[in-house]
PDB file of all heavy atoms in Angstrom:
ATOM      1  N   ALA A 112       2.446  -7.977  15.561  1.00 90.00           N
ATOM      2  CA  ALA A 112       1.450  -7.396  14.656  1.00 90.00           C
ATOM      3  C   ALA A 112       1.966  -6.090  14.054  1.00 90.00           C
ATOM      4  O   ALA A 112       1.769  -5.822  12.857  1.00 90.00           O
ATOM      5  CB  ALA A 112       0.131  -7.161  15.390  1.00 90.00           C
ATOM      6  N   LEU A 113       2.641  -5.273  14.852  1.00 90.00           N
ATOM      7  CA  LEU A 113       3.240  -4.038  14.334  1.00 90.00           C
ATOM      8  C   LEU A 113       4.319  -4.360  13.301  1.00 90.00           C
ATOM      9  O   LEU A 113       4.408  -3.710  12.255  1.00 90.00           O
ATOM     10  CB  LEU A 113       3.830  -3.206  15.472  1.00 90.00           C
ATOM     11  CG  LEU A 113       2.838  -2.542  16.416  1.00 90.00           C
ATOM     12  CD1 LEU A 113       3.565  -1.954  17.618  1.00 90.00           C
ATOM     13  CD2 LEU A 113       2.024  -1.484  15.699  1.00 90.00           C
ATOM     14  N   ASP A 114       5.131  -5.342  13.604  1.00 89.00           N
ATOM     15  CA  ASP A 114       6.185  -5.777  12.686  1.00 89.00           C
ATOM     16  C   ASP A 114       5.573  -6.292  11.382  1.00 89.00           C
ATOM     17  O   ASP A 114       6.052  -5.964  10.291  1.00 89.00           O
ATOM     18  CB  ASP A 114       7.022  -6.853  13.367  1.00 89.00           C
ATOM     19  CG  ASP A 114       8.335  -7.107  12.667  1.00 89.00           C
ATOM     20  OD1 ASP A 114       9.011  -6.123  12.308  1.00 89.00           O
ATOM     21  OD2 ASP A 114       8.681  -8.287  12.483  1.00 89.00           O
ATOM     22  N   ASP A 115       4.527  -7.076  11.494  1.00 89.00           N
ATOM     23  CA  ASP A 115       3.837  -7.605  10.308  1.00 89.00           C
ATOM     24  C   ASP A 115       3.225  -6.482   9.473  1.00 89.00           C
ATOM     25  O   ASP A 115       3.190  -6.560   8.248  1.00 89.00           O
ATOM     26  CB  ASP A 115       2.749  -8.608  10.705  1.00 89.00           C
ATOM     27  CG  ASP A 115       3.322  -9.903  11.239  1.00 89.00           C
ATOM     28  OD1 ASP A 115       4.549 -10.140  11.079  1.00 89.00           O
ATOM     29  OD2 ASP A 115       2.541 -10.676  11.840  1.00 89.00           O
ATOM     30  N   PHE A 116       2.736  -5.436  10.140  1.00 91.00           N
ATOM     31  CA  PHE A 116       2.172  -4.288   9.418  1.00 91.00           C
ATOM     32  C   PHE A 116       3.239  -3.653   8.534  1.00 91.00           C
ATOM     33  O   PHE A 116       3.010  -3.388   7.350  1.00 91.00           O
ATOM     34  CB  PHE A 116       1.606  -3.262  10.404  1.00 91.00           C
ATOM     35  CG  PHE A 116       1.124  -1.996   9.753  1.00 91.00           C
ATOM     36  CD1 PHE A 116      -0.096  -1.960   9.094  1.00 91.00           C
ATOM     37  CD2 PHE A 116       1.899  -0.846   9.788  1.00 91.00           C
ATOM     38  CE1 PHE A 116      -0.532  -0.799   8.475  1.00 91.00           C
ATOM     39  CE2 PHE A 116       1.463   0.320   9.175  1.00 91.00           C
ATOM     40  CZ  PHE A 116       0.241   0.342   8.523  1.00 91.00           C
ATOM     41  N   ALA A 117       4.417  -3.408   9.111  1.00 90.00           N
ATOM     42  CA  ALA A 117       5.511  -2.798   8.342  1.00 90.00           C
ATOM     43  C   ALA A 117       5.928  -3.698   7.184  1.00 90.00           C
ATOM     44  O   ALA A 117       6.134  -3.226   6.062  1.00 90.00           O
ATOM     45  CB  ALA A 117       6.699  -2.502   9.252  1.00 90.00           C
ATOM     46  N   ASP A 118       6.051  -4.985   7.452  1.00 89.00           N
ATOM     47  CA  ASP A 118       6.421  -5.926   6.390  1.00 89.00           C
ATOM     48  C   ASP A 118       5.331  -6.022   5.331  1.00 89.00           C
ATOM     49  O   ASP A 118       5.620  -6.182   4.151  1.00 89.00           O
ATOM     50  CB  ASP A 118       6.701  -7.318   6.968  1.00 89.00           C
ATOM     51  CG  ASP A 118       8.025  -7.389   7.704  1.00 89.00           C
ATOM     52  OD1 ASP A 118       8.875  -6.494   7.490  1.00 89.00           O
ATOM     53  OD2 ASP A 118       8.202  -8.326   8.506  1.00 89.00           O
ATOM     54  N   GLY A 119       4.083  -5.926   5.759  1.00 89.00           N
ATOM     55  CA  GLY A 119       2.965  -5.980   4.821  1.00 89.00           C
ATOM     56  C   GLY A 119       2.966  -4.826   3.843  1.00 89.00           C
ATOM     57  O   GLY A 119       2.583  -4.974   2.677  1.00 89.00           O
ATOM     58  N   ILE A 120       3.403  -3.679   4.297  1.00 91.00           N
ATOM     59  CA  ILE A 120       3.497  -2.522   3.398  1.00 91.00           C
ATOM     60  C   ILE A 120       4.608  -2.759   2.378  1.00 91.00           C
ATOM     61  O   ILE A 120       4.433  -2.540   1.190  1.00 91.00           O
ATOM     62  CB  ILE A 120       3.750  -1.230   4.192  1.00 91.00           C
ATOM     63  CG1 ILE A 120       2.515  -0.885   5.015  1.00 91.00           C
ATOM     64  CG2 ILE A 120       4.106  -0.074   3.255  1.00 91.00           C
ATOM     65  CD1 ILE A 120       2.724   0.242   5.981  1.00 91.00           C
ATOM     66  N   LYS A 121       5.731  -3.229   2.865  1.00 82.00           N
ATOM     67  CA  LYS A 121       6.880  -3.440   1.989  1.00 82.00           C
ATOM     68  C   LYS A 121       6.650  -4.583   1.013  1.00 82.00           C
ATOM     69  O   LYS A 121       6.967  -4.484  -0.166  1.00 82.00           O
ATOM     70  CB  LYS A 121       8.115  -3.726   2.830  1.00 82.00           C
ATOM     71  CG  LYS A 121       9.399  -3.821   2.040  1.00 82.00           C
ATOM     72  CD  LYS A 121      10.577  -4.001   2.964  1.00 82.00           C
ATOM     73  CE  LYS A 121      11.871  -4.081   2.189  1.00 82.00           C
ATOM     74  NZ  LYS A 121      13.012  -4.267   3.100  1.00 82.00           N
ATOM     75  N   HIS A 122       6.097  -5.664   1.504  1.00 76.00           N
ATOM     76  CA  HIS A 122       5.923  -6.872   0.701  1.00 76.00           C
ATOM     77  C   HIS A 122       4.446  -7.122   0.418  1.00 76.00           C
ATOM     78  O   HIS A 122       4.003  -8.263   0.454  1.00 76.00           O
ATOM     79  CB  HIS A 122       6.508  -8.093   1.425  1.00 76.00           C
ATOM     80  CG  HIS A 122       7.931  -7.932   1.810  1.00 76.00           C
ATOM     81  ND1 HIS A 122       8.945  -7.851   0.887  1.00 76.00           N
ATOM     82  CD2 HIS A 122       8.530  -7.806   3.020  1.00 76.00           C
ATOM     83  CE1 HIS A 122      10.105  -7.698   1.513  1.00 76.00           C
ATOM     84  NE2 HIS A 122       9.880  -7.664   2.808  1.00 76.00           N
ATOM     85  N   GLY A 123       3.705  -6.057   0.172  1.00 67.00           N
ATOM     86  CA  GLY A 123       2.272  -6.188  -0.085  1.00 67.00           C
ATOM     87  C   GLY A 123       1.977  -7.200  -1.169  1.00 67.00           C
ATOM     88  O   GLY A 123       2.801  -7.428  -2.058  1.00 67.00           O
ATOM     89  N   PRO A 124       0.805  -7.835  -1.112  1.00 57.00           N
ATOM     90  CA  PRO A 124       0.485  -8.890  -2.060  1.00 57.00           C
ATOM     91  C   PRO A 124       0.454  -8.427  -3.512  1.00 57.00           C
ATOM     92  O   PRO A 124       0.817  -9.170  -4.398  1.00 57.00           O
ATOM     93  CB  PRO A 124      -0.899  -9.371  -1.612  1.00 57.00           C
ATOM     94  CG  PRO A 124      -1.450  -8.263  -0.782  1.00 57.00           C
ATOM     95  CD  PRO A 124      -0.270  -7.544  -0.198  1.00 57.00           C
ATOM     96  N   ASP A 125       0.042  -7.192  -3.738  1.00 64.00           N
ATOM     97  CA  ASP A 125      -0.047  -6.718  -5.112  1.00 64.00           C
ATOM     98  C   ASP A 125       0.373  -5.260  -5.168  1.00 64.00           C
ATOM     99  O   ASP A 125      -0.346  -4.390  -4.684  1.00 64.00           O
ATOM    100  CB  ASP A 125      -1.471  -6.879  -5.651  1.00 64.00           C
ATOM    101  CG  ASP A 125      -1.600  -6.508  -7.115  1.00 64.00           C
ATOM    102  OD1 ASP A 125      -0.567  -6.211  -7.744  1.00 64.00           O
ATOM    103  OD2 ASP A 125      -2.718  -6.521  -7.628  1.00 64.00           O
ATOM    104  N   LYS A 126       1.509  -5.014  -5.760  1.00 58.00           N
ATOM    105  CA  LYS A 126       2.032  -3.644  -5.830  1.00 58.00           C
ATOM    106  C   LYS A 126       1.237  -2.766  -6.797  1.00 58.00           C
ATOM    107  O   LYS A 126       1.429  -1.577  -6.854  1.00 58.00           O
ATOM    108  CB  LYS A 126       3.501  -3.656  -6.272  1.00 58.00           C
ATOM    109  CG  LYS A 126       4.403  -4.452  -5.380  1.00 58.00           C
ATOM    110  CD  LYS A 126       4.694  -3.729  -4.110  1.00 58.00           C
ATOM    111  CE  LYS A 126       5.749  -4.433  -3.314  1.00 58.00           C
ATOM    112  NZ  LYS A 126       5.381  -4.844  -2.015  1.00 58.00           N
ATOM    113  N   HIS A 127       0.344  -3.361  -7.575  1.00 63.00           N
ATOM    114  CA  HIS A 127      -0.355  -2.602  -8.611  1.00 63.00           C
ATOM    115  C   HIS A 127      -1.847  -2.464  -8.355  1.00 63.00           C
ATOM    116  O   HIS A 127      -2.570  -2.004  -9.223  1.00 63.00           O
ATOM    117  CB  HIS A 127      -0.132  -3.269  -9.973  1.00 63.00           C
ATOM    118  CG  HIS A 127       1.306  -3.583 -10.244  1.00 63.00           C
ATOM    119  ND1 HIS A 127       2.278  -2.619 -10.303  1.00 63.00           N
ATOM    120  CD2 HIS A 127       1.946  -4.753 -10.425  1.00 63.00           C
ATOM    121  CE1 HIS A 127       3.457  -3.180 -10.539  1.00 63.00           C
ATOM    122  NE2 HIS A 127       3.282  -4.478 -10.609  1.00 63.00           N
ATOM    123  N   SER A 128      -2.292  -2.845  -7.178  1.00 67.00           N
ATOM    124  CA  SER A 128      -3.727  -2.807  -6.927  1.00 67.00           C
ATOM    125  C   SER A 128      -4.214  -1.404  -6.581  1.00 67.00           C
ATOM    126  O   SER A 128      -3.493  -0.603  -6.000  1.00 67.00           O
ATOM    127  CB  SER A 128      -4.090  -3.772  -5.804  1.00 67.00           C
ATOM    128  OG  SER A 128      -3.470  -3.369  -4.603  1.00 67.00           O
ATOM    129  N   ASN A 129      -5.430  -1.143  -6.961  1.00 80.00           N
ATOM    130  CA  ASN A 129      -6.118   0.108  -6.631  1.00 80.00           C
ATOM    131  C   ASN A 129      -5.354   1.360  -7.043  1.00 80.00           C
ATOM    132  O   ASN A 129      -5.334   2.346  -6.316  1.00 80.00           O
ATOM    133  CB  ASN A 129      -6.426   0.175  -5.137  1.00 80.00           C
ATOM    134  CG  ASN A 129      -7.264  -0.977  -4.664  1.00 80.00           C
ATOM    135  OD1 ASN A 129      -8.113  -1.478  -5.393  1.00 80.00           O
ATOM    136  ND2 ASN A 129      -7.037  -1.406  -3.442  1.00 80.00           N
ATOM    137  N   MET A 130      -4.725   1.321  -8.182  1.00 87.00           N
ATOM    138  CA  MET A 130      -3.952   2.479  -8.629  1.00 87.00           C
ATOM    139  C   MET A 130      -4.890   3.570  -9.125  1.00 87.00           C
ATOM    140  O   MET A 130      -5.763   3.311  -9.954  1.00 87.00           O
ATOM    141  CB  MET A 130      -2.995   2.076  -9.756  1.00 87.00           C
ATOM    142  CG  MET A 130      -1.857   1.187  -9.296  1.00 87.00           C
ATOM    143  SD  MET A 130      -0.823   1.960  -8.050  1.00 87.00           S
ATOM    144  CE  MET A 130      -0.055   3.250  -9.001  1.00 87.00           C
ATOM    145  N   PRO A 131      -4.723   4.785  -8.608  1.00 89.00           N
ATOM    146  CA  PRO A 131      -5.541   5.892  -9.097  1.00 89.00           C
ATOM    147  C   PRO A 131      -5.166   6.223 -10.548  1.00 89.00           C
ATOM    148  O   PRO A 131      -3.981   6.356 -10.864  1.00 89.00           O
ATOM    149  CB  PRO A 131      -5.209   7.043  -8.154  1.00 89.00           C
ATOM    150  CG  PRO A 131      -3.920   6.679  -7.512  1.00 89.00           C
ATOM    151  CD  PRO A 131      -3.803   5.188  -7.560  1.00 89.00           C
ATOM    152  N   SER A 132      -6.149   6.327 -11.393  1.00 88.00           N
ATOM    153  CA  SER A 132      -5.874   6.550 -12.808  1.00 88.00           C
ATOM    154  C   SER A 132      -5.313   7.945 -13.087  1.00 88.00           C
ATOM    155  O   SER A 132      -4.693   8.170 -14.117  1.00 88.00           O
ATOM    156  CB  SER A 132      -7.148   6.336 -13.631  1.00 88.00           C
ATOM    157  OG  SER A 132      -8.149   7.240 -13.213  1.00 88.00           O
ATOM    158  N   ASP A 133      -5.509   8.867 -12.160  1.00 91.00           N
ATOM    159  CA  ASP A 133      -5.064  10.245 -12.372  1.00 91.00           C
ATOM    160  C   ASP A 133      -3.809  10.619 -11.589  1.00 91.00           C
ATOM    161  O   ASP A 133      -3.420  11.778 -11.537  1.00 91.00           O
ATOM    162  CB  ASP A 133      -6.198  11.211 -12.027  1.00 91.00           C
ATOM    163  CG  ASP A 133      -6.700  11.051 -10.597  1.00 91.00           C
ATOM    164  OD1 ASP A 133      -6.221  10.140  -9.885  1.00 91.00           O
ATOM    165  OD2 ASP A 133      -7.578  11.836 -10.191  1.00 91.00           O
ATOM    166  N   GLY A 134      -3.151   9.641 -10.948  1.00 92.00           N
ATOM    167  CA  GLY A 134      -1.897   9.913 -10.249  1.00 92.00           C
ATOM    168  C   GLY A 134      -2.060  10.574  -8.896  1.00 92.00           C
ATOM    169  O   GLY A 134      -1.101  11.123  -8.362  1.00 92.00           O
ATOM    170  N   THR A 135      -3.246  10.508  -8.320  1.00 94.00           N
ATOM    171  CA  THR A 135      -3.463  11.121  -7.008  1.00 94.00           C
ATOM    172  C   THR A 135      -2.915  10.223  -5.899  1.00 94.00           C
ATOM    173  O   THR A 135      -2.376   9.157  -6.151  1.00 94.00           O
ATOM    174  CB  THR A 135      -4.959  11.402  -6.776  1.00 94.00           C
ATOM    175  OG1 THR A 135      -5.693  10.191  -6.979  1.00 94.00           O
ATOM    176  CG2 THR A 135      -5.468  12.483  -7.713  1.00 94.00           C
ATOM    177  N   VAL A 136      -3.091  10.650  -4.666  1.00 95.00           N
ATOM    178  CA  VAL A 136      -2.561   9.937  -3.505  1.00 95.00           C
ATOM    179  C   VAL A 136      -3.196   8.554  -3.408  1.00 95.00           C
ATOM    180  O   VAL A 136      -4.410   8.402  -3.512  1.00 95.00           O
ATOM    181  CB  VAL A 136      -2.813  10.745  -2.210  1.00 95.00           C
ATOM    182  CG1 VAL A 136      -2.368   9.972  -0.985  1.00 95.00           C
ATOM    183  CG2 VAL A 136      -2.112  12.088  -2.286  1.00 95.00           C
ATOM    184  N   HIS A 137      -2.349   7.558  -3.196  1.00 94.00           N
ATOM    185  CA  HIS A 137      -2.808   6.173  -3.117  1.00 94.00           C
ATOM    186  C   HIS A 137      -3.460   5.904  -1.755  1.00 94.00           C
ATOM    187  O   HIS A 137      -3.068   6.481  -0.737  1.00 94.00           O
ATOM    188  CB  HIS A 137      -1.635   5.216  -3.324  1.00 94.00           C
ATOM    189  CG  HIS A 137      -2.054   3.823  -3.630  1.00 94.00           C
ATOM    190  ND1 HIS A 137      -2.397   2.935  -2.651  1.00 94.00           N
ATOM    191  CD2 HIS A 137      -2.207   3.177  -4.804  1.00 94.00           C
ATOM    192  CE1 HIS A 137      -2.736   1.782  -3.205  1.00 94.00           C
ATOM    193  NE2 HIS A 137      -2.621   1.901  -4.521  1.00 94.00           N
ATOM    194  N   GLU A 138      -4.412   5.012  -1.766  1.00 92.00           N
ATOM    195  CA  GLU A 138      -5.120   4.607  -0.551  1.00 92.00           C
ATOM    196  C   GLU A 138      -4.155   4.073   0.512  1.00 92.00           C
ATOM    197  O   GLU A 138      -4.329   4.323   1.702  1.00 92.00           O
ATOM    198  CB  GLU A 138      -6.146   3.537  -0.938  1.00 92.00           C
ATOM    199  CG  GLU A 138      -6.925   2.950   0.184  1.00 92.00           C
ATOM    200  CD  GLU A 138      -7.866   1.850  -0.288  1.00 92.00           C
ATOM    201  OE1 GLU A 138      -7.784   1.415  -1.454  1.00 92.00           O
ATOM    202  OE2 GLU A 138      -8.668   1.416   0.545  1.00 92.00           O
ATOM    203  N   LEU A 139      -3.124   3.357   0.105  1.00 93.00           N
ATOM    204  CA  LEU A 139      -2.145   2.814   1.044  1.00 93.00           C
ATOM    205  C   LEU A 139      -1.436   3.937   1.802  1.00 93.00           C
ATOM    206  O   LEU A 139      -1.190   3.817   3.005  1.00 93.00           O
ATOM    207  CB  LEU A 139      -1.114   1.951   0.304  1.00 93.00           C
ATOM    208  CG  LEU A 139       0.007   1.373   1.165  1.00 93.00           C
ATOM    209  CD1 LEU A 139      -0.548   0.376   2.181  1.00 93.00           C
ATOM    210  CD2 LEU A 139       1.055   0.712   0.293  1.00 93.00           C
ATOM    211  N   THR A 140      -1.128   5.017   1.120  1.00 95.00           N
ATOM    212  CA  THR A 140      -0.465   6.156   1.760  1.00 95.00           C
ATOM    213  C   THR A 140      -1.357   6.735   2.849  1.00 95.00           C
ATOM    214  O   THR A 140      -0.918   6.955   3.979  1.00 95.00           O
ATOM    215  CB  THR A 140      -0.117   7.238   0.714  1.00 95.00           C
ATOM    216  OG1 THR A 140       0.699   6.649  -0.296  1.00 95.00           O
ATOM    217  CG2 THR A 140       0.608   8.407   1.345  1.00 95.00           C
ATOM    218  N   ARG A 141      -2.609   6.976   2.506  1.00 95.00           N
ATOM    219  CA  ARG A 141      -3.553   7.525   3.488  1.00 95.00           C
ATOM    220  C   ARG A 141      -3.712   6.587   4.681  1.00 95.00           C
ATOM    221  O   ARG A 141      -3.642   7.014   5.832  1.00 95.00           O
ATOM    222  CB  ARG A 141      -4.920   7.759   2.837  1.00 95.00           C
ATOM    223  CG  ARG A 141      -5.001   9.009   2.015  1.00 95.00           C
ATOM    224  CD  ARG A 141      -6.469   9.276   1.626  1.00 95.00           C
ATOM    225  NE  ARG A 141      -6.534   9.901   0.327  1.00 95.00           N
ATOM    226  CZ  ARG A 141      -6.598   9.249  -0.839  1.00 95.00           C
ATOM    227  NH1 ARG A 141      -6.630   7.952  -0.879  1.00 95.00           N
ATOM    228  NH2 ARG A 141      -6.654   9.922  -1.966  1.00 95.00           N
ATOM    229  N   ASN A 142      -3.945   5.318   4.396  1.00 94.00           N
ATOM    230  CA  ASN A 142      -4.185   4.351   5.469  1.00 94.00           C
ATOM    231  C   ASN A 142      -2.969   4.180   6.374  1.00 94.00           C
ATOM    232  O   ASN A 142      -3.104   4.043   7.593  1.00 94.00           O
ATOM    233  CB  ASN A 142      -4.607   3.002   4.890  1.00 94.00           C
ATOM    234  CG  ASN A 142      -5.977   3.048   4.262  1.00 94.00           C
ATOM    235  OD1 ASN A 142      -6.776   3.952   4.521  1.00 94.00           O
ATOM    236  ND2 ASN A 142      -6.265   2.090   3.412  1.00 94.00           N
TER     237      ASN A 142
END
């Protein structure tokens, strides 16, 4: 599960989802 988490970040399903319109910190970074 830990390995899958790391791979999930790298190979996430959509690299463009939930992009902040103002260039602030992305939700993925926080999480």
Side-chain angles (χ1 to χ4, degrees):
L113 289 170
D114 195 45
D115 290 347
F116 175 78
D118 286 342
I120 292 171
K121 186 176 181 180
H122 305 293
D125 185 5
K126 302 285 188 239
H127 311 299
S128 63
N129 302 326
M130 290 300 292
S132 60
D133 58 356
T135 54
V136 176
H137 196 277
E138 177 183 10
L139 177 65
T140 303
R141 281 190 213 89
N142 291 342

